[in-house]
């Protein structure tokens, strides 16, 4: 099994490589990597590769494996001892990426069991809605990509060997969204100044792509009856795959099991704090009602009472949009970190093809084109029943909706990713670390409340504890489900009764933990590492510690693993 990255590359008997030589080598590596992974290149802002599309067939997987093996052999021979720390950590991040790639191809093999991984919509949507070139040129690029779409979905069908039921269901749900993106391409082409020949070719390719997507959906629909029962493939990874995936993805000094055990201990600390807040709020919130002896019930009753304060269903997206300027003003007023008003944040309804996993999320431009829009995707509540909408609104009540916006937007994901795109290290921005990204967003919630946001109201702190408990519970849930075999009933109890989440939030999280693995652990793991690093810097600098300086330096290293940033900050 592939080994996780060691803290620093091993030296060889060769002469030390210079920083200039490594910079040239890194550039050579990236240019070769983009030829192999054009969709990721486009996501990172390399629109010169917009017309180049890959086909996920066996030959492509073999090319990816050979690429990783070639570059691993080449880079592992380097004697990097003379490189500055920034370059050494860049090298470490490349090595981790290549090892993770081989692990994914040869051991995890998600390409063989996840039908939802095959989706052309994201790249098309990005090309259509990014002004990297005039519309007509973008449509020509899209047309060239669409020429390979039938082969793309034929390769997807051939790759799938024993898909899981839940990933197949997600892929089927996303088919209408993919078709809607193709329809939008056709609508924009109809009003463009493409030549008649170009328009005709594009129309033919859109038609062929629609047929390929529809046929893929029909193929998956035919498979569904075979995917249930005792012989079906489980969505659970199991410890043999979970631990190495955790090591590659999270890049923590701790194992997955250690992180899980730390999360259990952190949950106890949060319960203690929440009980104290519940006692403080009881008389003003519950009046003369008898206070339960059971702390979980006591906390739950306070949260349930407070959760009735929320925005209206029809105002859900607009309320989120309206809160962003308030958060930006607070960060500026408290001088918590620098912001860049020239990098736009656009709050929009989540595109249909992206729905089904999370209700809100950030979609940021890559470091090659940092001036592009950052989208804050929010799924509206229009398609929910009244009961489902009410459950969601109670979950994202008056206080938690603000914490959500801190996490996703300011000073969370949006702010962090703007800083990441300014990092001098392309490597650290391109091959970002989930735990650092999610950990910063969780850390930013606490940092805002520590600065006085919310007026230090006990209601706000209680709801922050509930939200922070969600991050901790994500780790407990993910490990329990994928390694310990937790079943649905126990998972829902963990989420609803023990973590105070509403029924709809809990059922959506149960689905998410089936569709993803390890990602849910990134929130708590990264947050815990950042808090430990902040404390270490405070201890080391004493009165010289300045919170804004810590934030600015921390964010200057792209989206590197927290352990890497710690090494760079303490160099």
């Amino acid at each position: 099994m592939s080994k996780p990255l060691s803290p620093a590359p091993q030296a060889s008997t060769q002469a030390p490589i210079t920083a200039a030589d490594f910079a040239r080598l890194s550039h050579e590596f990236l240019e070769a990597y983009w030829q192999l992974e054009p969709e990721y290149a486009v996501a990172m802002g390399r629109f010169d590769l917009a017309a180049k599309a890959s086909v996920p067939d066996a030959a492509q997987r073999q090319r990816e494996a050979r690429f990783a093996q070639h570059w691993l052999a080449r880079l592992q021979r380097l004697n990097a001892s003379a490189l500055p720390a920034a370059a050494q950590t860049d090298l470490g991040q490349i090595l981790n990426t290549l090892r993770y790639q081989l692990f994914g191809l040869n051991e995890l093999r998600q390409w063989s069991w996840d039908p939802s991984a095959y989706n052309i919509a994201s790249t098309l949507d990005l090309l259509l809605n990014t002004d990297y070139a005039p519309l007509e040129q973008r449509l020509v690029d899209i047309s060239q990509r669409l020429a390979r779409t039938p082969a793309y979905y034929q390769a997807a069908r051939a790759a799938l060997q024993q898909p899981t039921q839940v990933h197949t269901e997600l892929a089927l749900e996303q088919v209408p969204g993919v078709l809607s993106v193709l329809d939008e391409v056709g609508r924009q082409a109809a009003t463009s100044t493409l030549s008649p020949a170009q328009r005709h070719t594009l129309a033919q390719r859109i038609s062929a792509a629609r047929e390929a997507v529809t046929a893929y959906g029909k193929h998956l629909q035919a498979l569904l009856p075979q995917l249930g029962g005792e012989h079906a493939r489980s969505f659970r990874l199991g410890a043999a795959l979970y631990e190495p995936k955790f090591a590659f993805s999270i890049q923590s000094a701790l194992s997955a099991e250690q992180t899980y055990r730390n999360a259990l201990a952190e949950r106890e600390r949060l319960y203690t704090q929440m009980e104290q807040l519940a006692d403080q709020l009881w008389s003003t919130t519950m009046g003369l009602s008898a206070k339960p002896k059971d702390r979980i019930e006591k906390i739950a009753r306070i949260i349930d009472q407070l959760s009735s304060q929320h925005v209206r269903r029809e105002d859900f997206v607009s309320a989120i949009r309206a809160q962003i300027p308030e958060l930006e003003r607070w960060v500026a007023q408290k001088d918590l970190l620098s912001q860049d008003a020239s990098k736009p944040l656009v709050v929009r309804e989540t595109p249909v093809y992206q729905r089904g996993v999370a209700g809100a999320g950030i979609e940021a431009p890559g470091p090659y084109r940092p001036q592009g829009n950052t989208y804050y995707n929010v799924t509206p509540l229009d398609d929910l029943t009244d009961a489902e909408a009410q459950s969601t609104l109670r979950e994202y009540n008056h206080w938690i909706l603000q914490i959500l916006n801190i996490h996703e937007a300011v000073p969370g994901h949006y702010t962090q990713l703007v800083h990441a795109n300014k990092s001098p290290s392309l490597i650290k921005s391109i091959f970002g670390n989930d735990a650092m990204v999610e950990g910063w967003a969780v850390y930013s919630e606490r940092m805002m409340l520590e600065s006085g946001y919310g007026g230090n109201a006990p209601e706000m702190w209680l709801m922050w504890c509930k939200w922070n408990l969600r991050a901790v519970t994500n780790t407990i849930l993910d490990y329990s489900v994928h390694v310990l075999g937790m079943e649905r009933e126990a998972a829902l109890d963990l989420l609803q009764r023990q973590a105070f989440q509403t029924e709809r939030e809990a059922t959506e999280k149960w689905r998410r933990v089936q569709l993803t693995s390890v990602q849910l652990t990134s929130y708590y793991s990264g947050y815990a590492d950042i808090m430990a690093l902040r404390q270490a810097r405070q201890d080391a600098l004493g009165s010289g510690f300045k919170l804004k300086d810590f934030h600015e330096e921390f964010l200057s290293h792209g989206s590197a693993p927290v352990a890497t940033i710690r090494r760079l900050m303490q160099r």
Side-chain angles (χ1 to χ4, degrees):
M1 185 170 290
S2 303
K3 296 180 180 178
L5 177 66
S6 56
Q10 296 295 312
S12 76
T13 56
Q14 295 189 351
I17 185 172
T18 67
D21 287 339
F22 180 72
R24 286 189 290 270
L25 190 61
S26 297
H27 177 75
E28 181 186 348
F29 164 77
L30 283 175
E31 290 306 304
Y33 186 80
W34 297 141
Q35 293 302 315
L36 190 70
E37 306 286 355
E39 287 75 24
Y40 191 36
V42 170
M44 293 294 103
R46 283 293 300 269
F47 291 102
D48 55 310
L49 294 168
K52 184 178 174 63
S54 63
V55 173
D57 55 15
Q60 171 70 6
R61 292 191 292 276
Q62 290 168 1
R63 284 190 292 271
E64 291 173 356
R66 286 196 298 270
F67 175 90
Q69 291 161 351
H70 164 77
W71 277 97
L72 272 175
R74 189 172 174 183
L75 294 172
Q76 288 176 145
R77 287 196 299 266
L78 298 178
N79 181 351
S81 59
L83 287 177
Q88 286 193 27
T89 50
D90 274 2
L91 175 57
Q93 202 64 9
I94 296 174
L95 291 173
N96 186 75
T97 297
L98 294 170
R99 291 167 180 156
Y100 196 4
Q101 185 172 32
L102 287 175
F103 169 76
L105 288 168
N106 300 328
E107 298 175 55
L108 186 62
R109 294 170 59 88
Q110 191 162 346
W111 52 266
S112 71
W113 50 262
D114 181 3
S116 69
Y118 300 103
N119 189 324
I120 61 167
S122 180
T123 305
L124 295 179
D125 180 59
L126 182 61
L127 297 178
L128 199 61
N129 292 291
T130 304
D131 295 327
Y132 67 91
L135 175 61
E136 287 67 29
Q137 180 57 54
R138 303 196 320 262
L139 290 170
V140 168
D141 290 341
I142 288 171
S143 181
Q144 291 186 54
R145 294 191 65 82
L146 290 178
R148 305 197 77 187
T149 297
Y152 178 97
Y153 281 104
Q154 190 60 41
R157 291 173 61 171
L160 294 172
Q161 296 167 9
Q162 194 182 9
T164 74
Q165 181 175 339
V166 67
H167 290 93
T168 303
E169 290 169 346
L170 175 61
L172 282 167
E173 290 173 15
Q174 292 177 339
V175 164
V178 179
L179 295 176
S180 72
V181 174
L182 292 172
D183 290 342
E184 182 60 25
V185 173
R187 280 192 292 271
Q188 295 211 27
T191 60
S192 71
T193 59
L194 288 175
S195 70
Q198 288 173 322
R199 191 175 291 127
H200 176 70
T201 298
L202 178 54
Q204 287 184 317
R205 289 173 176 171
I206 291 173
S207 178
R210 286 185 61 87
E211 290 180 11
V213 173
T214 302
Y216 184 61
K218 290 179 178 177
H219 173 70
L220 297 179
Q221 191 69 53
L223 286 179
L224 264 183
Q226 310 167 28
L227 303 182
E230 58 180 319
H231 299 299
R233 181 187 178 92
S234 173
F235 62 84
R236 304 177 198 275
L237 283 197
L241 290 175
Y242 193 93
E243 280 288 359
K245 183 179 180 183
F246 179 90
F248 285 123
S249 177
I250 304 301
Q251 293 179 268
S252 170
L254 303 178
S255 68
E257 182 180 4
Q258 289 170 322
T259 303
Y260 163 73
R261 297 194 181 284
N262 284 354
L264 291 173
E266 181 64 22
R267 181 174 65 171
E268 287 302 310
R269 286 190 285 272
L270 282 168
Y271 279 159
T272 298
Q273 184 177 357
M274 294 176 84
E275 185 176 20
Q276 292 170 350
L277 289 164
D279 286 335
Q280 183 180 346
L281 287 164
W282 187 267
S283 61
T284 57
T285 304
M286 305 302 296
L288 298 176
S289 299
K291 190 184 299 184
K293 293 182 179 179
D294 179 76
R295 65 176 180 175
I296 299 295
E297 183 183 352
K298 177 170 45 177
I299 296 166
R301 288 183 61 181
I302 294 289
I303 289 174
D304 182 66
Q305 185 71 17
L306 293 175
S307 295
S308 63
Q309 300 182 46
H310 55 71
V311 301
R312 297 184 304 172
R313 172 180 183 159
E314 60 270 26
D315 295 335
F316 187 66
V317 177
S318 60
I320 288 176
R321 187 178 290 115
Q323 282 181 5
I324 304 306
E326 298 175 12
L327 297 174
E328 291 173 333
R329 284 193 293 270
W330 183 270
V331 170
Q333 176 189 340
K334 296 297 180 179
D335 199 28
L336 297 174
L337 63 141
S338 61
Q339 301 176 92
D340 188 345
S342 70
K343 303 297 187 295
L345 175 64
V346 179
V347 180
R348 67 173 183 176
E349 295 187 4
T350 307
V352 177
Y353 71 87
Q354 291 185 6
R355 299 181 187 180
V357 179
I362 286 291
E363 188 177 333
Y368 287 109
R369 198 175 189 276
Q371 69 272 27
N373 288 339
T374 296
Y375 293 105
Y376 182 3
N377 296 326
V378 183
T379 303
L381 311 183
D382 304 347
D383 296 333
L384 304 184
T385 65
D386 289 344
E388 289 172 336
Q390 182 66 13
S391 182
T392 299
L393 291 168
R394 289 180 64 84
E395 181 68 26
Y396 294 95
N397 56 57
H398 169 72
W399 297 277
I400 285 187
L401 194 62
Q402 296 174 71
I403 298 171
L404 171 70
N405 290 330
I406 292 170
H407 179 103
E408 296 292 347
V410 180
H413 286 321
Y414 159 67
T415 304
Q416 183 264 316
L417 292 168
V418 168
H419 278 262
N421 281 342
K422 297 179 179 180
S423 169
S425 169
L426 266 178
I427 296 297
K428 294 184 180 72
S429 296
I430 290 167
F431 302 114
N433 174 258
D434 279 351
M436 183 275 178
V437 173
E438 295 295 355
W440 169 264
V442 176
Y443 166 79
S444 70
E445 304 153 13
R446 175 168 171 169
M447 174 258 289
M448 285 285 278
L449 265 66
E450 287 176 336
S451 73
Y453 182 83
N456 279 314
E459 294 90 345
M460 179 62 93
W461 274 107
L462 179 63
M463 289 302 180
W464 173 81
C465 287
K466 176 182 183 293
W467 184 267
N468 196 249
L469 180 61
R470 176 193 294 211
V472 172
T473 303
N474 281 347
T475 292
I476 297 170
L477 175 71
D478 204 65
Y479 190 83
S480 296
V481 168
H482 284 285
V483 178
L484 304 180
M486 176 180 278
E487 296 290 351
R488 184 179 187 274
E489 183 177 352
L492 293 181
D493 180 76
L494 170 68
L495 293 164
Q496 288 181 258
R497 186 181 64 82
Q498 301 175 53
F500 314 107
Q501 295 177 22
T502 61
E503 180 181 5
R504 177 169 171 77
E505 184 69 24
T507 54
E508 287 185 342
K509 188 61 63 67
W510 167 247
R511 187 176 195 222
R512 182 173 171 184
V513 77
Q514 295 173 81
L515 291 168
T516 65
S517 55
V518 173
Q519 193 275 334
L520 282 171
T521 70
S522 61
Y523 301 85
Y524 168 67
S525 176
Y527 163 74
D529 285 348
I530 293 171
M531 288 301 300
L533 174 57
R534 189 179 78 171
Q535 187 61 55
R537 298 303 290 160
Q538 286 180 294
D539 293 344
L541 299 176
S543 61
F545 177 84
K546 299 291 185 291
L547 190 61
K548 182 179 182 180
D549 292 345
F550 171 78
H551 294 156
E552 300 280 305
E553 185 176 0
F554 182 85
L555 294 179
S556 71
H557 298 294
S559 298
V562 180
T564 295
I565 296 175
R566 174 188 284 265
R567 179 181 171 196
L568 292 170
M569 290 180 73
Q570 295 178 342
R571 66 188 183 275

